[in-house]
């Protein structure tokens, strides 16, 4: 008689197909968060070069194939880490809104708060900023920063010109942050330059 077929193994713990829908959704969210945190931890110690997909998967405790289902490329993973940093910034702004009386002052507060947050992990900041500049995938970074600047400025329905102004200020900040990472700017110099740019760009708000 033929040998009975071996039983099909149960899905692995990192499978997205097991369990009720609600539990599966929570599990997927937690798994994605572990992956992003693992990538950020690696980047904070060795830059983007340290974010090897296999190493990220091992650190996050997921199969390599699972990692690629969530993030098809390293750049997709970099974008996710940037998104996590922006989430933290927005949460900080919600908890402690800028207290400046002018739109320019509130915009400066947001950008300098973001600078302090990023510079706690300079390797990570350098990796993220450089990768975004060279990104070959669409990134929400510029639009999200511009939207945040407009919100703290009190603008609910921004015109195209106001979007352009906020985007320009965000770009100035990215450039200044890069200069700081290269050792060409101090925190005080960045703040001074951002204050000048914000004052000019948001003079009429």
């Amino acid at each position: 008689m033929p040998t009975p077929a071996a039983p099909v193994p149960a899905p692995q713990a990192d499978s997205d197909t097991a369990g009720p829908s609600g539990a599966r959704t929570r599990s997927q969210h937690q798994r994605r968060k572990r992956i992003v945190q693992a990538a950020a931890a690696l980047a904070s110690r060795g830059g983007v070069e340290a974010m090897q997909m296999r190493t990220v998967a091992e650190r996050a405790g997921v199969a390599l194939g699972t990692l690629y289902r969530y993030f098809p490329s390293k750049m997709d993973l970099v974008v996710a880490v940037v998104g996590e940093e922006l989430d933290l910034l927005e949460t900080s702004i919600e908890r402690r809104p800028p207290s400046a009386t002018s739109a320019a002052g509130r915009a400066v507060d947001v950008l300098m708060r973001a600078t302090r947050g990023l510079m706690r992990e300079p390797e990570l900041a350098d990796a993220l900023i450089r990768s975004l500049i060279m990104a070959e995938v669409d990134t929400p970074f510029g639009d999200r920063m511009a939207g945040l600047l407009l919100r703290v400025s009190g603008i609910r329905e921004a015109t195209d010109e106001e979007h352009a102004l906020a985007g320009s200020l965000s770009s100035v900040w990215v450039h200044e942050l890069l200069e700081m990472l290269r050792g060409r700017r101090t925190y005080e110099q960045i703040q001074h330059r951002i204050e000048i740019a914000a004052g000019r760009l948001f003079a009429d708000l």
Side-chain angles (χ1 to χ4, degrees):
M1 295 180 64
T3 303
V8 177
Q12 297 298 312
D14 65 350
S15 172
D16 289 340
T17 60
S21 177
R24 183 168 65 246
T25 300
R26 288 193 299 273
S27 176
Q28 290 170 352
H29 177 76
Q30 292 168 355
R31 189 176 301 115
R32 184 184 188 281
K33 192 173 185 65
R34 285 206 315 274
I35 292 170
V36 173
Q37 289 174 338
L42 289 167
S44 70
R45 290 167 176 78
V48 172
E49 292 76 15
M51 285 175 53
Q52 299 300 318
M53 299 296 268
R54 186 174 296 280
T55 306
V56 172
E58 291 172 354
R59 188 181 182 98
V62 302
L64 185 59
T66 298
L67 172 60
Y68 276 108
R69 283 202 298 276
Y70 283 89
F71 304 104
S73 72
K74 181 190 286 190
M75 186 50 63
D76 290 302
L77 190 51
V78 169
V79 170
V81 174
V82 172
E84 188 84 358
E85 292 297 314
L86 286 174
D87 289 343
L88 293 173
L89 176 61
E90 289 181 341
T91 299
S92 169
I93 299 301
E94 289 173 4
R95 290 177 178 172
R96 186 167 58 86
S99 58
T101 57
S102 68
R106 292 191 293 274
V108 171
D109 181 287
V110 167
L111 292 174
M112 298 316 297
R113 206 181 297 186
T115 301
R116 290 192 297 273
L118 284 172
M119 291 310 295
R120 292 191 189 103
E121 298 281 358
E123 287 279 352
L124 176 59
D126 185 70
L128 297 182
I129 296 297
R130 292 179 186 276
S131 295
L132 287 173
I133 289 173
M134 298 182 292
E136 297 179 357
V137 299
D138 290 334
T139 67
F141 181 75
D143 288 342
R144 283 188 65 180
M145 281 301 297
L148 182 55
L149 293 175
L150 290 170
R151 288 200 299 278
V152 300
S153 299
I155 299 173
R156 295 186 179 276
E157 295 185 10
T159 64
D160 289 344
E161 181 179 3
E162 287 165 340
H163 271 295
L165 290 172
S168 295
L169 183 56
S170 177
S171 296
V172 169
W173 171 69
V174 169
H175 171 75
E176 293 300 321
L177 190 61
L178 264 178
E179 291 295 281
M180 187 178 187
L181 290 165
R182 292 167 177 161
R184 298 174 184 170
R185 295 276 194 276
T186 64
Y187 179 87
E188 291 73 19
Q189 287 172 329
I190 285 184
Q191 182 165 347
H192 179 62
R193 288 168 177 264
I194 292 295
E195 286 172 349
I196 292 173
R200 295 288 181 86
L201 291 172
F202 288 173
D204 297 330
L205 299 183

